[in-house]
Amino acid sequence: MVTGGGGARLAMAAWSVLSSAAVNVFLLLVLPRVSHAQTFSFPFLQPESCGHNQYFDISALSCVPCGANQRRGARGTSCMCLPGFQMLSNNGGPDFICKKCPENMKGVTEDGWNCISCPGGLTAEGKCHCPTGHILVERAVNGTLLSQATCKLCDENENSFTVANALGNRCIQCEPTFINTSRSCTCSAPNILTGGLCFSSTGNFPSRVISSARYGDLGMSFTSEWFVKYLQSSAAACWVYANLTSCQALGNMCVMNMNSYDSTTFDACRLFQFIFEHTAGLRTVHSISFWRQNLPWLFYGDQLGLGPQVLSTTPLPTNFSFKGENQNKKLKFVAASYDVRGNFLKWQTLEGGLLQLCPDTETRLNAAYSFGTTYQQNCEIPLSKILTDFPSPIFYDVYLEYTDENQHQYIWAVPVLNLNLQYNKIFVNQDSSSSKWLLTRRIFLVDALSGRENDLGSQPRLIRIATQISLSIHLVPNTKNGNIYPPLITIAYSDIDVTDPSSQSVKVSFSVKYEMNQGEAQIQTDIALGVLGGLAVLSSLLKTAGWKRRIGSPMIDLQTVMKFLVYYAGDLANVFFIITVGTGLYWLIFFKAQKSISVLLPVPAQEERLVTYVGCAFALKALQFLHKLISQITIDIFFIDWERPKGKVLKAVEGEGGVRSATVPVSIWRTYFVANEWNEIQTVRKINPLFQILTVLFFLEVVGFKNLALMDSSSSLSRSPASYIAPYSRILRYAVSTALWLVIGIIQIMFFAVFYERFIEDKIRQFVDLCCMSNISVFLLSHKCFGYYIHGRSVHGHADTNMEEMNMNLKREAENLCSQRGLVPNTDGQTFQIAISSQMRQHYDRIHDTLTRKNGPARLLSSSASTFEQSIKAYHTMNKFLGSFIDHVHKEMDYFIKDKLLLERILGMEFMEPMEKSIFYNDEGYSFSSVLYYGNEATLLIFDLLFFCVVDLACQNFVLAAFLTYLQQEIFRFIRNIVGQKNLASKTLVDQRFLI
């Protein structure tokens, strides 16, 4: 038995189950079931497609027939009674009843509910008709329906001055100008009737008014119906009565004519100027001399030189800052808006896209007014949409709202530079000199009204659209608090000949740019370029002098001049590189990190100078790179084999049938092995080029460092997809790219030197060790009388041994049981810089010419046997000569060993000339790598960096720049290897087929 609360809970659960079941049964019985084959489509109809006796059902979205004695209503969404029929019932639904009026009461009242007898004829709608000046009276004062309608004449006498209104159902007072002029409701001669107004005399006001609209883009002007109807009346009312809306309307028509002024014709702007000049006695508005009482402010005057005075004389009394407690980074623009008839509409903020024709999200539209954000918006809009959205122009007077130190709100008028303005038929605002500009105030976006010729309700023949609107912000020079001059709106209109609005479209743009005077920065850059350029000349002269000493030629000839120019190209490339990197980092750091605004990014036109410098740096660095590449692949190199034969063997004698003893030949494989290792290290670098490119690309594209190059104040590495993405600054892209490239490159070089070469692999030192283990020295001449020597003579006497003896030799060397490897006894110095005497060089050349005859060993297989034997003999002669030279055998060509002076190391040249004896300089820094990629890492790193940046500056694409940089690296590496192999084979008699 369930008692207490348990029973209540059981009852509630049962009731819940029963209720759910009841609801389900109800739904199954009442609601219609959806068939799987049922479709959800129906014909698409519009109200105008319905027939004369049909109306558009707004519920069913289809055409429905009207009832008896009915026809389609004016809007097409309901029916109405036929003429001569009265309504008996109408509840707003589809069913209402119409009844024919009797013969003695054929007219229908204005509301359609009653029949009435008319005093005169009937209109087409079956309503009573009254003569002009009369009003129709159908009911008594208390609302009682009269049996017969009457037509009452309005009293035009002095006591009343009334006329019938436009609907003809009420008498209203005449237009005041009629009463003031003729003391009646008619405007008879000699009074003037224009635009619905009556004027008796306008003093010296011009009577011949030009009612034409100018369309400079199309090179034409035609009579505008709007100007015909309202220009003269608006001007007269403004002149005679100081009517405020008429003055505004006249100003609007002047703006519709592009504020153009022609002293020979009385068009809208000439009339406005006439009134402005003849009301000089009136007071000004807000003490602004260009703003006359009762008139709109349209111009800043027509005196030359006013443009710079307005734009760059008085800074705005407010500060802007990106960060900090007093952060102010919002431009608060407001606009006073007027309709075409001169009525003030309201104050509006420019946020939300008031002046931006291109549609977008509110966040992106409002980004245009974030201080420091360069804004660019472009789109193409159908002409049909413009005609629909802008049937009548709206005019704007733009102001910048700001708060002073006392927290009082003020507004500052924003001047306008209308590029379509003509002053006496000259486009003065398209001149590059701002002193010739005529600044204006009022603007509009679309004018589809003045382009109508005969009927204001017809489609316009021409339409004028603001296709380019640019807002310029200029920073006050040397400001530390973010002071700016008054902003400038630059606007350009396009005149469109309307032929087929559904197929026509127009391209429009809206932009905001920030500028500052770059004169001081350019002067500092020029100074740095001059100073560093002078140092580059000095450096190039020292390099040329060192080169002259190394080739043993004291004469200054054309080759010397060309060499100087090549050296100067490399040094000047470094100068341009330093200046561009410093400039880029300056803008990146100081613009992005500043709190109170003191610098703004250069505009694209101001960036051209830096881009030119980058291009010069790349071109000159490419010349330096090619020069080094050619120098490396044209060096003289020979591998001295110190190995000596081990005993003798019996050898068959061809043609004699006998045998004789001969020395055991020395194996060539050690030479081939060393040559292969030399060939491999030719393109070894201190960085991994592929890792360098991929890492830079990772930080730019994945981590988001490229966002630092956007022309806005944000330092964030990530941006929301919904936010506005500003255009990229080429200077900032260059700065970010170079900073990342250099940092990653330097980190790689440090890692390579500190860790990789010490604990993993050092190919340069390994090559020196290999030479010693192979008993082969390397004699290398990079210049005629200068080169490098790697002493690889084995301390064990032989290198062509078995494994057991090789291990034993290594063990003895590790335990210091044998002499040291150095050229000088009891030293470890194996690498030297050598300056050889001219006599030594001449002897070397005589042997070398024999060695390289027939263009080297690559053609030995097709040459005669005698030529081959001669080359072999020359090889052994060279090997013997260089070996004996190292062993001090030739006293007339001897050498001595010394250390280089510190100044010699710094300047990269030798003070002592090898006159009688050659000089071997101790070289612990393995400087022979200067004929390899390894010793020219700085040049290669900067060349790759400049190549990457030049491609990016041209294409604005980091991925493409990375791909092309890697491609050029591989191409030059391939060329270096192939040509280097051929040179190596020709110089050392090593068959190129054995070089891998």
Side-chain angles (χ1 to χ4, degrees):
M1 181 177 179
V2 181
T3 61
R9 285 194 296 270
L10 181 60
M12 290 178 65
W15 172 251
S16 176
V17 172
L18 291 175
S19 298
S20 300
V23 169
N24 292 334
V25 171
F26 174 78
L27 292 176
L28 289 173
L29 292 176
V30 175
L31 296 181
R33 298 184 180 180
V34 179
S35 170
H36 292 290
Q38 185 175 355
T39 61
F40 298 95
S41 64
F42 51 87
F44 174 59
L45 297 175
Q46 297 188 14
E48 55 268 21
S49 63
C50 296
H52 181 70
N53 294 323
Q54 293 179 320
Y55 74 98
F56 186 77
D57 190 331
I58 62 175
S59 175
L61 303 179
S62 61
C63 296
V64 178
C66 292
N69 305 321
Q70 299 174 15
R71 64 176 181 178
R72 185 174 60 182
R75 296 185 57 191
T77 56
S78 62
C79 293
M80 61 184 295
C81 293
L82 292 172
F85 289 79
Q86 67 175 122
M87 286 188 298
L88 293 182
S89 65
N90 184 0
N91 297 320
D95 299 326
F96 68 93
I97 302 172
C98 296
K99 177 184 177 182
K100 186 174 178 60
C101 291
E103 290 296 328
N104 60 341
M105 302 176 71
K106 291 184 177 181
V108 181
T109 57
E110 290 292 330
D111 56 16
W113 285 98
N114 301 100
C115 296
I116 194 169
S117 177
C118 296
L122 299 176
T123 64
E125 289 78 19
K127 309 294 176 65
C128 296
H129 174 70
C130 287
T132 303
H134 294 67
I135 62 170
L136 178 65
V137 179
E138 298 176 333
R139 299 180 183 273
V141 177
N142 60 0
T144 304
L145 182 67
L146 302 177
S147 59
Q148 183 177 7
T150 60
C151 292
K152 295 288 187 179
L153 178 63
C154 292
D155 186 7
E156 298 183 4
N157 295 323
E158 185 171 356
N159 294 331
S160 300
F161 293 127
T162 59
V163 293
N165 64 357
L167 297 177
N169 59 4
R170 191 160 63 94
C171 291
I172 59 174
Q173 189 179 33
C174 300
E175 213 287 328
T177 59
F178 284 72
I179 301 174
N180 296 335
T181 302
S182 61
R183 302 303 296 174
S184 68
C185 291
T186 59
C187 188
S188 56
N191 299 320
I192 302 172
L193 176 63
T194 175
L197 304 178
C198 184
F199 300 96
S200 60
S201 174
T202 55
N204 58 352
F205 190 78
S207 58
R208 188 165 176 239
V209 174
I210 306 300
S211 301
S212 60
R214 299 183 182 183
Y215 288 86
D217 280 2
L218 303 177
M220 61 178 295
S221 62
F222 67 95
T223 302
S224 167
E225 183 66 16
W226 179 263
F227 285 14
V228 168
K229 286 189 174 182
Y230 300 109
L231 176 57
Q232 187 173 15
S233 60
S234 299
C238 179
W239 167 245
V240 177
Y241 302 111
N243 184 280
L244 295 179
T245 54
S246 296
C247 292
Q248 294 291 339
L250 175 62
N252 291 342
M253 283 183 269
C254 176
V255 175
M256 293 162 80
N257 251 355
M258 299 290 93
N259 296 90
S260 297
Y261 176 87
D262 192 343
S263 58
T264 61
T265 60
F266 276 94
D267 57 3
C269 291
R270 183 70 177 88
L271 291 173
F272 180 86
Q273 192 68 20
F274 176 87
I275 298 175
F276 184 86
E277 293 172 355
H278 288 79
T279 55
L282 298 179
R283 64 182 178 88
T284 59
V285 179
H286 301 301
S287 300
I288 299 174
S289 59
F290 313 115
W291 195 350
R292 195 65 47 78
Q293 184 182 5
N294 303 327
L295 295 177
W297 180 11
L298 298 187
F299 299 94
Y300 280 87
D302 57 357
Q303 292 84 9
L304 293 177
L306 279 178
Q309 182 179 346
V310 172
L311 296 175
S312 56
T313 300
T314 307
L316 264 66
T318 186
N319 303 327
F320 290 92
S321 59
F322 289 152
K323 303 178 176 101
E325 297 180 357
N326 299 321
Q327 177 179 334
N328 180 20
K329 54 182 296 186
K330 200 69 177 176
L331 292 166
K332 300 177 182 178
F333 287 100
V334 294
S337 56
Y338 300 83
D339 66 10
V340 71
R341 298 181 181 275
N343 297 304
F344 175 79
L345 299 178
K346 58 181 176 179
W347 283 103
Q348 294 178 267
T349 175
L350 296 195
E351 291 188 342
L354 184 65
L355 299 183
Q356 295 155 268
L357 291 174
C358 295
D360 210 332
T361 63
E362 186 174 355
T363 301
R364 292 174 181 168
L365 291 173
N366 293 343
Y369 308 110
S370 178
F371 193 91
T373 299
T374 299
Y375 189 87
Q376 185 67 47
Q377 185 188 43
N378 302 277
C379 67
E380 188 169 356
I381 306 176
L383 197 60
S384 57
K385 184 178 188 304
I386 293 179
L387 290 173
T388 303
D389 295 344
F390 299 93
S392 179
I394 303 295
F395 298 86
Y396 304 101
D397 292 342
V398 182
Y399 299 87
L400 178 62
E401 181 184 351
Y402 66 94
T403 305
D404 67 358
E405 298 178 353
N406 299 322
Q407 301 302 311
H408 295 155
Q409 287 188 328
Y410 293 89
I411 55 175
W412 191 288
V414 178
V416 175
L417 181 68
N418 187 344
L419 299 181
N420 298 73
L421 184 149
Q422 297 183 57
Y423 187 80
N424 290 327
K425 300 180 181 179
I426 300 176
F427 291 96
V428 292
N429 287 346
Q430 296 181 14
D431 196 284
S432 58
S433 175
S434 61
S435 61
K436 297 182 180 180
W437 291 350
L438 293 180
L439 301 178
T440 58
R441 284 283 298 123
R442 185 165 293 186
I443 63 173
F444 64 89
L445 297 183
V446 178
D447 174 18
L449 187 61
S450 64
R452 291 179 166 92
E453 276 191 294
N454 300 316
D455 184 7
L456 293 178
S458 64
Q459 177 177 287
R461 175 184 170 188
L462 299 169
I463 183 173
R464 177 170 281 154
I465 304 171
T467 51
Q468 296 180 22
I469 300 178
S470 177
L471 182 62
S472 303
I473 313 295
H474 291 258
L475 192 69
V476 175
N478 302 319
T479 181
K480 301 299 181 182
N481 300 316
N483 297 112
I484 64 172
Y485 288 121
L488 173 66
I489 296 178
T490 303
I491 189 165
Y493 292 91
S494 295
D495 302 329
I496 310 299
D497 189 1
V498 181
T499 56
D500 184 9
S502 59
S503 61
Q504 290 179 277
S505 60
V506 60
K507 294 181 179 180
V508 299
S509 67
F510 181 88
S511 62
V512 181
K513 60 182 180 180
Y514 295 82
E515 301 180 44
M516 66 174 293
N517 188 356
Q518 300 290 335
E520 183 178 352
Q522 292 178 359
I523 292 175
Q524 293 175 352
T525 302
D526 292 340
I527 293 174
L529 184 60
V531 173
L532 295 179
L535 294 177
V537 172
L538 180 61
S539 173
S540 302
L541 288 174
L542 291 174
K543 290 179 181 178
T544 306
W547 172 79
K548 290 292 291 182
R549 179 155 294 189
R550 289 180 175 184
I551 65 171
S553 173
M555 300 296 295
I556 298 178
D557 50 10
L558 181 61
Q559 184 184 12
T560 305
V561 175
M562 296 301 296
K563 205 70 175 182
F564 167 77
L565 293 178
V566 172
Y567 284 135
Y568 184 60
D571 292 335
L572 194 59
N574 294 333
V575 170
F576 280 122
F577 178 73
I578 292 172
I579 289 176
T580 54
V581 172
T583 302
L585 292 178
Y586 168 82
W587 291 114
L588 176 64
I589 296 172
F590 282 89
F591 176 73
K592 292 288 185 177
Q594 63 185 334
K595 292 183 179 179
S596 294
I597 300 168
S598 58
V599 295
L600 291 175
L601 291 174
V603 297
Q606 295 170 333
E607 291 179 330
E608 294 299 330
R609 188 166 183 165
L610 180 131
V611 173
T612 302
Y613 286 170
V614 174
C616 291
F618 170 70
L620 296 173
K621 184 59 69 172
L623 181 61
Q624 181 190 23
F625 170 70
L626 293 176
H627 172 250
K628 286 184 176 291
L629 188 65
I630 294 172
S631 299
Q632 289 181 7
I633 61 180
T634 56
I635 61 172
D636 288 325
I637 185 172
F638 190 84
F639 298 113
I640 306 173
D641 192 352
W642 298 100
E643 195 74 13
R644 296 293 178 260
K646 292 183 178 181
K648 297 185 177 181
V649 295
L650 297 177
K651 182 179 180 182
V653 180
E654 296 184 5
E656 299 180 0
V659 296
R660 65 179 180 179
S661 63
T663 57
V664 178
V666 176
S667 172
I668 196 65
W669 289 108
R670 290 173 297 101
T671 302
Y672 279 0
F673 186 63
V674 172
N676 263 306
E677 288 301 313
W678 175 262
N679 185 59
E680 285 186 10
I681 67 172
Q682 286 190 99
T683 54
V684 169
R685 295 182 58 176
K686 296 180 181 179
I687 66 170
N688 186 318
L690 181 59
F691 176 81
Q692 174 82 12
I693 293 173
L694 293 179
T695 305
V696 170
L697 195 61
F698 171 79
F699 278 100
L700 287 173
E701 295 289 343
V702 179
V703 178
F705 274 82
K706 68 176 183 180
N707 291 323
L708 293 177
L710 296 176
M711 299 178 73
D712 57 26
S713 60
S714 174
S715 303
S716 174
L717 298 182
S718 60
R719 301 298 171 91
S720 170
S723 64
Y724 170 74
I725 305 299
Y728 286 101
S729 165
R730 289 184 293 180
I731 285 183
L732 295 188
R733 285 181 75 95
Y734 179 73
V736 173
S737 302
T738 53
L740 281 175
W741 194 283
L742 291 176
V743 168
I744 295 173
I746 292 173
I747 290 175
Q748 277 206 83
I749 293 173
M750 293 176 61
F751 172 80
F752 194 82
V754 175
F755 178 79
Y756 188 86
E757 287 186 341
R758 287 190 178 185
F759 302 105
I760 300 179
E761 183 181 32
D762 185 350
K763 290 189 176 182
I764 302 300
R765 287 175 173 79
Q766 285 178 353
F767 177 76
V768 176
D769 291 340
L770 175 65
C771 290
C772 188
M773 296 301 298
S774 302
N775 203 17
I776 290 178
S777 296
V778 180
F779 189 85
L780 188 154
L781 293 177
S782 58
H783 299 74
K784 182 179 180 181
C785 297
F786 182 84
Y788 306 91
Y789 174 67
I790 302 174
H791 186 62
R793 194 169 191 172
S794 176
V795 296
H796 308 292
H798 292 279
D800 195 2
T801 61
N802 55 34
M803 182 182 296
E804 182 180 0
E805 186 175 354
M806 176 69 72
N807 290 334
M808 183 63 67
N809 291 338
L810 292 175
K811 184 177 180 182
R812 291 178 57 203
E813 192 170 353
E815 295 175 354
N816 293 324
L817 298 178
C818 58
S819 61
Q820 293 175 290
R821 293 181 176 182
L823 175 61
V824 179
N826 299 321
T827 63
D828 289 326
Q830 292 181 262
T831 56
F832 301 88
Q833 295 181 13
I834 59 175
I836 63 175
S837 64
S838 58
Q839 185 180 2
M840 163 64 184
R841 179 68 197 202
Q842 291 172 3
H843 196 84
Y844 175 88
D845 288 340
R846 284 196 298 269
I847 303 174
H848 186 267
D849 290 342
T850 306
L851 178 64
T852 58
R853 190 172 300 166
K854 291 291 182 180
N855 295 326
R859 299 180 55 185
L860 286 177
L861 295 179
S862 61
S863 61
S864 63
S866 60
T867 303
F868 177 75
E869 290 177 358
Q870 186 178 2
S871 298
I872 294 296
K873 183 179 178 180
Y875 169 76
H876 287 296
T877 302
M878 179 68 79
N879 192 75
K880 183 178 180 180
F881 166 70
L882 292 178
S884 61
F885 171 73
I886 298 300
D887 287 339
H888 299 278
V889 173
H890 305 280
K891 297 303 180 181
E892 72 281 4
M893 293 183 292
D894 204 359
Y895 67 93
F896 62 93
I897 302 173
K898 68 183 297 288
D899 291 327
K900 260 193 173 184
L901 300 176
L902 177 61
L903 188 58
E904 288 180 312
R905 295 176 183 273
I906 294 174
L907 297 180
M909 61 183 299
E910 298 76 34
F911 296 157
M912 184 180 296
E913 292 188 32
M915 303 299 293
E916 297 180 357
K917 290 186 178 182
S918 300
I919 306 173
F920 277 44
Y921 295 99
N922 290 310
D923 179 24
E924 298 177 356
Y926 298 90
S927 59
F928 70 88
S929 62
S930 62
V931 299
L932 308 172
Y933 268 15
Y934 184 90
N936 296 277
E937 186 58 54
T939 301
L940 295 172
L941 186 70
I942 296 175
F943 174 73
D944 292 341
L945 167 57
L946 289 173
F947 186 93
F948 177 88
C949 292
V950 166
V951 175
D952 176 66
L953 290 176
C955 305
Q956 298 280 293
N957 190 319
F958 287 125
V959 177
L960 178 61
F963 171 75
L964 293 181
T965 303
Y966 176 73
L967 187 63
Q968 67 86 13
Q969 287 176 345
E970 292 299 306
I971 290 174
F972 280 115
R973 189 176 68 85
F974 176 77
I975 294 173
R976 174 69 175 82
N977 283 332
I978 295 299
V979 180
Q981 286 180 8
K982 291 184 177 181
N983 179 68
L984 184 64
S986 66
K987 302 292 185 181
T988 61
L989 204 67
V990 175
D991 196 325
Q992 189 176 348
R993 292 175 298 176
F994 295 99
L995 296 177
I996 303 174

